[in-house]
Amino acid sequence: MRLKLVPSDTNWNFFRFASFTFGASVVAMVASVVLFFLMGLNYGIDFRGGTTIRTESTQPVDVAAYRAALSALDLGDVAISQVFDPGFGPERNVAQVRIQAQDGEESITPQVINAVEAALKTVDPSITFPSVESVGPKVSAELVQTAILAVVLSIVAVLVYIWLRFEWQFSLGAVAALVHDVTLTIGVFAALQIRFDLAIIAALLTIVGYSLNDTVVVFDRVRENLRKYKKMELRDLLNLSINDTLSRTVMTSVTTLLALIALFVLGGDVIRGFVFAMIWGIVVGTYSSVFVASNILLFLGVKRDWSKDQDGGAGTQFASAEG
């Protein structure tokens, strides 16, 4: 017996509350932009410049004692956080000490690192320092520019790809869905102040690809149904297309989420931010493929100009429709 999370013969009206769902998406995007400018992102060392020192000890982490020991060094912005991981035993207590880049310095000098380690050893003589990572301010500024460029170029590439494969109405719907997904992901990171580093940029690019895949599956079925049902109203045809692909969309999303949830719980703190971004991105990406991209397509409208397609058979060329 085949497992089906969604029946294959669904007939749900996804546009019954179109004004509400699309309006909610617009409000969420505006809120994400506001949160970004008001709260900002909790940039990691990759983007701010500075040094991250990872500590391990057999004794419990005392964040207040660590901070008091480092305050005398006058290092500026110092963030200390305990790292929780289900794989750590009671004898393994891990923390991360993040120190901002010092004025006029590309990175913290070895002397400063030695002073930090000596100060922490006064609190806990058993403490060790398995890793030290430094990024200079100039390098971090270049990384910010490169990350923004990577996301923008990926969206532009999607616009061109969909435009060539379908028509401009489809491409605008797909790009609107991608901008929706990226904006909401940045918004939730600003709201929760989860560390934003290069791994999150990789997650954003992955989300773009995943959301595009979902959208193209729906749009392919829309194109097929436009050829098959020549006189069906566009709203009904979009509903039919989404219902046709719903079982596949839900099954793909759920199985991917199962793997990501396992990674989030068991994968450790190093990849937790990346995995969280992926989980969030898959949820909003699946939503946007149905309620954003299709709504944009319905709003722009398409009409059917029946002619010979590029494959030599009966095909459809789409142009903008008024009314």
Side-chain angles (χ1 to χ4, degrees):
M1 182 178 178
R2 293 171 56 189
L3 174 63
K4 288 188 177 181
L5 298 178
V6 177
S8 56
D9 57 347
T10 58
N11 187 27
W12 297 342
N13 183 2
F14 291 96
F15 298 96
R16 182 178 180 182
F17 303 106
S19 57
F20 172 78
T21 55
F22 192 76
S25 294
V26 173
V27 170
M29 291 178 66
V30 172
S32 296
V33 173
V34 171
L35 285 171
F36 173 76
F37 284 106
L38 288 182
M39 301 181 64
L41 294 172
N42 179 21
Y43 291 110
I45 296 299
D46 293 338
F47 293 138
R48 289 194 303 178
T51 298
T52 298
I53 302 175
R54 187 180 178 94
T55 72
E56 288 193 16
S57 175
T58 57
Q59 299 182 19
V61 174
D62 189 339
V63 174
Y66 286 11
R67 184 174 290 109
L70 297 179
S71 61
L73 300 179
D74 193 22
L75 298 175
D77 183 17
V78 177
I80 304 172
S81 58
Q82 185 172 0
V83 176
F84 296 96
D85 192 301
F88 294 167
E91 76 290 345
R92 189 180 180 191
N93 301 281
V94 179
Q96 281 189 337
V97 180
R98 293 185 293 165
I99 306 170
Q100 72 175 26
Q102 305 299 295
D103 294 337
E105 299 289 343
E106 280 299 302
S107 61
I108 294 178
T109 63
Q111 292 78 8
V112 173
I113 294 175
N114 291 335
V116 170
E117 293 178 353
L120 293 176
K121 279 186 175 292
T122 62
V123 177
D124 181 1
S126 67
I127 198 170
T128 59
F129 308 94
S131 67
V132 178
E133 300 175 356
S134 295
V135 178
K138 291 182 180 178
V139 174
S140 64
E142 292 175 358
L143 289 174
V144 171
Q145 296 174 3
T146 304
I148 295 173
L149 183 62
V151 175
V152 171
L153 287 180
S154 67
I155 293 177
V156 171
V158 167
L159 175 65
V160 175
Y161 167 74
I162 299 294
W163 199 319
L164 293 176
R165 179 166 179 175
F166 298 95
E167 288 296 331
W168 68 268
Q169 298 97 324
F170 291 84
S171 63
L172 289 183
V175 168
L178 297 184
V179 172
H180 168 273
D181 300 342
V182 171
T183 303
L184 262 61
T185 302
I186 292 175
V188 77
F189 269 77
L192 300 179
Q193 288 295 290
I194 301 172
R195 188 176 62 188
F196 194 90
D197 52 23
L198 284 178
I200 308 306
I201 297 298
L204 288 177
L205 295 174
T206 307
I207 290 167
V208 167
Y210 188 94
S211 179
L212 174 63
N213 179 66
D214 266 354
T215 303
V216 167
V217 168
V218 174
F219 281 178
D220 264 333
R221 186 56 59 90
V222 171
R223 182 167 58 178
E224 292 173 7
N225 286 336
L226 280 167
R227 294 170 178 169
K228 186 176 180 181
Y229 304 102
K230 302 178 183 180
K231 296 184 179 181
M232 182 180 290
E233 290 290 333
L234 183 58
R235 178 187 293 267
D236 296 333
L237 190 141
L238 289 173
N239 258 324
L240 174 65
S241 302
I242 296 171
N243 278 287
D244 285 347
T245 58
L246 187 61
S247 179
R248 176 261 174 209
T249 299
V250 172
M251 182 64 76
T252 302
S253 298
V254 169
T255 52
T256 306
L257 283 173
L258 289 175
L260 288 173
I261 291 172
L263 277 176
F264 184 81
V265 174
L266 304 174
D269 65 287
V270 175
I271 63 170
R272 188 159 288 140
F274 171 84
V275 176
F276 174 81
M278 286 296 300
I279 291 173
W280 173 261
I282 285 175
V283 173
V284 297
T286 303
Y287 172 90
S288 67
S289 297
V290 175
F291 294 104
V292 176
S294 298
N295 266 318
I296 293 290
L297 185 58
L298 179 62
F299 174 76
L300 294 175
V302 294
K303 69 177 181 180
R304 298 149 219 191
D305 179 19
W306 298 97
S307 62
K308 215 171 187 182
D309 65 9
Q310 295 178 351
D311 298 328
T316 307
Q317 293 179 345
F318 304 111
S320 59
E322 297 181 0

